[in-house]
Amino acid sequence: MELLQAEDSTLVRNYMNGDEASLEVLINRHNQRISSFIYSKVFDKEITEDIFQDTFIKVIRTLKRGKYNEEGKFLPWVIRIAHNLVIDHYRKSNRMPRYESGPDYSIFAILQDDNLNAEKQLIQEQIQSDIGSMIRELPEEQQVVIQMRMFRDMSFKEIADSTGVSINTALGRMRYALINLRKMIEENQIVLTN
Amino acid sequence: MEDNYYCTQGQQELVSAKPETIRFLMDFSRSYKVERIGGMEFEQNLN
């Protein structure tokens, strides 16, 4: 009974410490939200079931390997995994979703569907948070160049003057920062699209 | 049977994964083990 009222972060911690029942509570708690999110993208109940299953297999593997580090943000994290798997599904099947009017689907439903906008917002926030975390993993001199170039829109001349290095060095730091970010994106299987 | 798991509420169709999917996931979780030996990570799934 206590488990049912526990917060996601507590359940995640319990599960990572070996309590399997906590996972069941998490799955049941978020089943409808995650399944409906997937279904709103693929419009097929069997594919939804498959993607839901693959999503939680990834969740289980990540948690059991101790790789989860997004305290208090379990649902956005799971939705982002589901979102990435939906994209994989469309890449594999080589076709993009179509919006059609019909008995199963109405274009007006998408336009008025605040829940879907909320999901997109969650994903967007999650992506921004991921990028921020990845930038913080970079060596300090690369972080500085990224911050100045991407967020303060400074030229490489200004960056070079401001950090006391040559333009070539600033360019080199930017290049290595981007290489490192790409590597992190690949390693973490992050899809930066919404 | 399907109607138990799929329902329409307003304009948005609400969908839930079936109990057998959840059972599969729980079985997968119980049998999934990770061992770390000498800095290497090994995944085991007894299913």
Side-chain angles (χ1 to χ4, degrees), chain A residues 5 24 57 63 69-70 84 86-87 96 131 163 172 182 184:
Chain A
Q5 286 155 3
E24 195 163 8
I57 285 175
L63 294 179
N69 59 1
E70 301 184 52
N84 288 347
V86 167
I87 291 169
M96 292 305 287
I131 292 173
T163 54
R182 280 198 198 103
M184 281 187 251

Side-chain angles (χ1 to χ4, degrees), chain A residues 6 93 139 170 187 191:
Chain A
S93 62
E187 280 171 4
V191 178

Side-chain angles (χ1 to χ4, degrees), chain A residues 74-93:
Chain A
F74 178 75
L75 180 61
W77 174 61
V78 179
I79 284 182
R80 201 194 64 216
I81 293 173
H83 178 251
N84 288 347
L85 288 171
V86 167
I87 291 169
D88 286 350
H89 160 72
Y90 281 117
R91 278 187 185 144
K92 278 181 207 152
S93 62

Side-chain angles (χ1 to χ4, degrees), chain A residues 32-45 48 79 83 86 90 97-99 104-106 109-110 113 115-117 119-120 123, chain B residues 11-15:
Chain A
Q32 190 176 71
R33 187 96 188 263
I34 295 164
S35 296
S36 300
F37 168 75
I38 298 167
Y39 184 71
S40 75
K41 306 285 182 199
V42 299
F43 310 113
D44 182 296
K45 284 160 187 169
T48 296
I79 284 182
H83 178 251
V86 167
Y90 281 117
R98 278 195 203 169
Y99 298 133
D104 289 326
Y105 179 74
S106 159
I110 272 278
D113 192 345
N115 286 334
L116 293 186
N117 292 336
E119 306 291 10
K120 279 187 177 175
I123 291 164
Chain B
Q11 297 265 20
Q12 187 187 7
E13 191 160 4
L14 298 176
V15 179

Side-chain angles (χ1 to χ4, degrees), chain A residues 49-67:
Chain A
E49 202 82 29
D50 287 348
I51 294 178
F52 180 89
Q53 186 174 298
D54 289 347
T55 299
F56 270 96
I57 285 175
K58 276 190 182 248
V59 167
I60 290 164
R61 292 181 68 229
T62 306
L63 294 179
K64 289 229 169 180
R65 288 161 68 206
K67 304 276 184 190

